[in-house]
Each structure stands twice: as structure tokens, then as C-alpha cells.
């Protein structure tokens, strides 16, 4: 409320910056005490009239934090990020790619692999991806699905899986 009162013309930019700060630290698994300390500092800076867009604002990410988050998102996201962080990243990417159109029933949504974790040895998957472990847990291989859809797709080959994922009636995913 303080920010709205004093900086009303930059609220969207401020919220974007605050979301970025929160998201990066969620991905980097900063603990509660660290986060509480940082948010207290941000509030104190706002109360003191410090510009949240200044170079010395606590809302700025350090070069090390930027590097760490890029490494985390380029790494084995499925294995290394907590479920809340994975879900946030996938939901946020989905919102950006679709301009915010999809909405989800969060009770039935799961994070699933497109390239199966353990495809059959004779499958096209293993032919196309001989070093499967290099790709399987990466961000680009993860998708948000309903539990029902995922159980239908299993370890199918790509064309069948794609059809199962995206051409079925969208049970719990509603495009507005």
C-alpha cells in the first residue's frame, strides 16, 4: 500500500521486479529466514523512500544469483527443483507463451515428462535419444498435465503421446 501511495505510476514495473526477485529465490531454494530478512529490508527501503529501481535496491539480483538461476533452469529441473518451484516455472512459462490464456485446475495438475524417463529399449525414443539421461529431466521435456491425461499417455511413442496430451478434450485445462 505504501508503494502504491508513493509510486503509483510504476506499479506494474515494481510488481514485475518483485515477482522476479521472489521467483529467482524460490528456484535457488533460499530459506525462510533469508527471505524474511530480504523482504523486511525491501519494505524498510520503501518506507525510507529509496527508489526500488535504483542500482542499490535490495530488489536487484546479484550477478551470482543470475548465474545460479540460469544454471538451475538449464540443469535437471525435475530432480533438483522443489515441486513448488517446478510448478511455478512451468505455469509462468505457460502464461508467457500463451499470453496468460490457460487456466488450470490446480488439484489435478501434475508435472510430467514428454520424453519418458524409462522408455522401452526398442522404442523410437531410445533411437532418437541414445543419451536419454542428458535430456529427460530438463525444463524443455516437462509439461503440465492432468493426472488423467498422463496416465493415458504412458511411455507411448512421440506422435501418439503428443496426440494424447494435446488433442484430447481438455478435461481440467480450460483455454479461455
Amino acid at each position: 500500500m505504501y508503494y502504491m501511495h508513493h509510486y503509483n505510476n510504476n506499479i506494474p514495473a515494481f510488481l514485475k521486479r518483485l515477482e522476479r526477485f521472489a521467483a529467482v529465490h524460490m528456484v535457488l531454494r533460499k530459506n525462510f529466514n533469508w527471505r524474511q530478512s530480504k523482504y523486511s529490508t525491501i519494505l524498510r527501503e520503501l518506507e525510507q523512500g529509496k527508489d526500488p529501481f535504483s542500482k542499490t535496491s535490495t530488489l536487484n539480483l546479484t550477478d551470482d544469483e543470475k548465474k545460479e538461476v540460469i544454471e538451475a533452469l538449464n540443469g535437471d529441473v525435475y530432480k533438483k527443483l522443489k515441486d513448488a518451484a517446478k510448478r511455478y516455472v512451468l505455469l509462468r512459462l505457460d502464461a508467457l507463451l500463451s499470453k496468460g490464456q490457460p487456466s488450470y485446475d490446480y488439484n489435478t495438475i501434475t508435472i510430467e515428462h514428454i520424453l519418458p524417463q524409462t522408455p522401452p529399449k526398442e522404442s523410437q525414443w531410445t533411437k532418437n535419444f541414445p543419451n536419454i539421461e542428458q535430456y529427460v529431466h530438463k525444463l524443455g521435456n516437462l509439461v503440465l498435465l492432468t493426472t488423467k491425461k498422463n496416465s493415458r499417455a504412458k511411455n507411448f511413442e512421440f506422435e501418439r503421446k503428443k496426440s494424447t496430451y494435446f488433442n484430447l478434450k481438455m478435461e481440467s485445462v480450460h483455454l479461455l
Side-chain angles (χ1 to χ4, degrees):
M1 296 304 282
Y2 178 87
Y3 187 82
M4 287 174 59
H5 178 70
H6 293 290
Y7 300 97
N8 197 25
N9 60 338
N10 284 327
I11 290 174
F14 172 76
L15 292 176
K16 184 176 180 179
R17 185 171 229 161
L18 183 61
E19 179 189 23
R20 182 179 113 172
F21 180 88
V24 164
H25 295 106
M26 179 192 313
V27 169
L28 296 180
R29 300 177 73 172
K30 298 293 184 177
N31 70 43
F32 175 78
N33 291 331
W34 185 94
R35 291 191 320 265
Q36 184 177 17
S37 171
K38 290 294 183 180
Y39 289 122
S40 293
T41 302
I42 292 166
L43 288 172
R44 203 169 23 262
E45 288 175 358
L46 290 173
E47 289 169 352
Q48 294 168 354
K50 184 174 187 175
D51 182 0
F53 299 100
S54 73
K55 289 183 179 181
T56 59
S57 171
T58 302
L59 273 175
N60 290 324
L61 299 173
T62 67
D63 289 340
D64 285 342
E65 289 169 331
K66 291 174 188 176
K67 183 181 173 187
E68 282 180 67
V69 79
I70 289 169
E71 287 173 4
L73 294 175
N74 283 330
D76 285 348
V77 170
Y78 189 80
K79 283 184 169 182
K80 295 190 177 178
L81 265 60
K82 287 186 174 184
D83 285 345
K86 286 185 282 205
R87 186 178 299 247
Y88 170 79
V89 168
L90 289 168
L91 286 167
R92 192 66 179 99
L93 283 172
D94 200 21
L96 288 169
L97 292 171
S98 66
K99 297 184 173 122
Q101 294 175 353
S103 65
Y104 295 93
D105 176 351
Y106 297 99
N107 295 321
T108 63
I109 195 169
T110 61
I111 299 168
E112 304 302 336
H113 294 80
I114 299 168
L115 169 60
Q117 295 180 72
T118 54
K121 291 196 187 306
E122 310 78 35
S123 74
Q124 193 63 42
W125 292 114
T126 55
K127 292 175 188 165
N128 292 345
F129 299 95
N131 298 324
I132 200 166
E133 63 283 343
Q134 190 176 346
Y135 307 102
V136 75
H137 299 301
K138 303 288 186 184
L139 187 57
N141 189 46
L142 303 176
V143 66
L144 296 170
L145 292 175
T146 63
T147 307
K148 193 174 189 179
K149 272 195 178 201
N150 185 52
S151 66
R152 287 184 189 156
K154 302 177 186 164
N155 283 343
F156 293 154
E157 294 296 341
F158 181 69
E159 286 304 318
R160 185 166 178 198
K161 189 174 253 197
K162 183 172 70 169
S163 173
T164 302
Y165 281 177
F166 301 111
N167 292 337
L168 290 175
K169 181 179 174 229
M170 304 291 269
E171 290 98 1
S172 292
V173 179
H174 305 287
L175 299 177
L176 301 176

